[in-house]
Amino acid sequence: MFSGKIRILIAEDHSLTAHLIGKLLAKYEFIEIIGIVSDGFALLEELDAKECDIVLLDLSMPELNGIEAMNIIQKRHPFIKVLVLTAHCDGKFIESVLELGVSGYLTKKADINELINAIKLVYNGGFYLDSLSLHALLYDYKPKENDLV
């Protein structure tokens, strides 16, 4: 049953970061934080147990990292959107994550307004890429030989 709110599950292994993000997001009346988990296995368990619209996903987590978890999420829960929130800002790395089919990619240098805008856009079916990640893709990216043919 839809609660009239965007239901978000935060997957972040740094407890303080996760809880601060949760507190900031919970201040918005249209957002419901349905849980905070610190590893990929806990993320999958929560998604199996709760209804979720967006996973706010850190990629560097113990046990089962964000990329491995994302592959499983797409198979088990194809309608859940994944918004990556990470410290990784290397063009080649970003490209490999985008190829997995995430709904957005945001670096942890973003402010709360940018995060809220990304959440709204992704929830409504759009794709979000922050300016730092776009810059990294454009200027760090080196085409493969096959791309030049």
Side-chain angles (χ1 to χ4, degrees):
M1 180 175 172
F2 182 66
S3 65
K5 294 185 177 195
I6 302 172
R7 297 162 298 191
I8 297 177
L9 179 59
I10 299 171
E12 165 65 60
D13 64 322
H14 293 99
S15 180
L16 181 59
T17 301
H19 286 89
L20 288 174
I21 291 169
K23 292 280 186 197
L24 285 171
L25 293 178
K27 290 182 178 184
Y28 292 82
E29 62 185 34
F30 59 90
I31 291 178
E32 177 184 357
I33 303 301
I34 62 165
I36 296 174
V37 296
S38 61
D39 67 69
F41 289 121
L43 169 61
L44 296 174
E45 287 178 12
E46 287 289 298
L47 289 177
D48 288 340
K50 297 179 178 176
E51 291 188 29
C52 179
D53 298 306
I54 297 175
V55 172
L56 195 56
L57 181 66
D58 181 24
L59 297 176
S60 300
M61 294 187 300
E63 306 293 325
L64 183 71
N65 70 42
I67 292 173
E68 294 165 330
M70 192 172 6
N71 286 320
I72 297 169
I73 291 168
Q74 289 175 332
K75 290 177 184 144
R76 283 193 202 169
H77 307 282
F79 298 108
I80 293 176
K81 295 168 174 56
V82 176
L83 177 57
V84 171
L85 181 62
T86 186
H88 296 284
C89 195
D90 169 70
K92 197 80 167 154
F93 182 80
I94 295 167
E95 177 192 15
S96 66
V97 173
L98 295 180
E99 287 175 352
L100 296 173
V102 299
S103 298
Y105 193 102
L106 194 66
T107 63
K108 289 182 178 175
K109 291 188 178 194
D111 64 24
I112 188 64
N113 293 324
E114 186 170 20
L115 178 56
I116 292 297
N117 288 336
I119 289 168
K120 288 178 180 177
L121 186 65
V122 165
Y123 178 75
N124 288 307
F127 173 81
Y128 191 87
L129 183 66
D130 73 343
S131 60
L132 285 175
S133 301
L134 178 59
H135 185 271
L137 275 173
L138 292 174
Y139 296 102
D140 292 352
Y141 176 72
K142 304 287 185 267
K144 303 170 198 156
E145 280 189 38
N146 297 352
D147 293 342
L148 299 176
V149 177

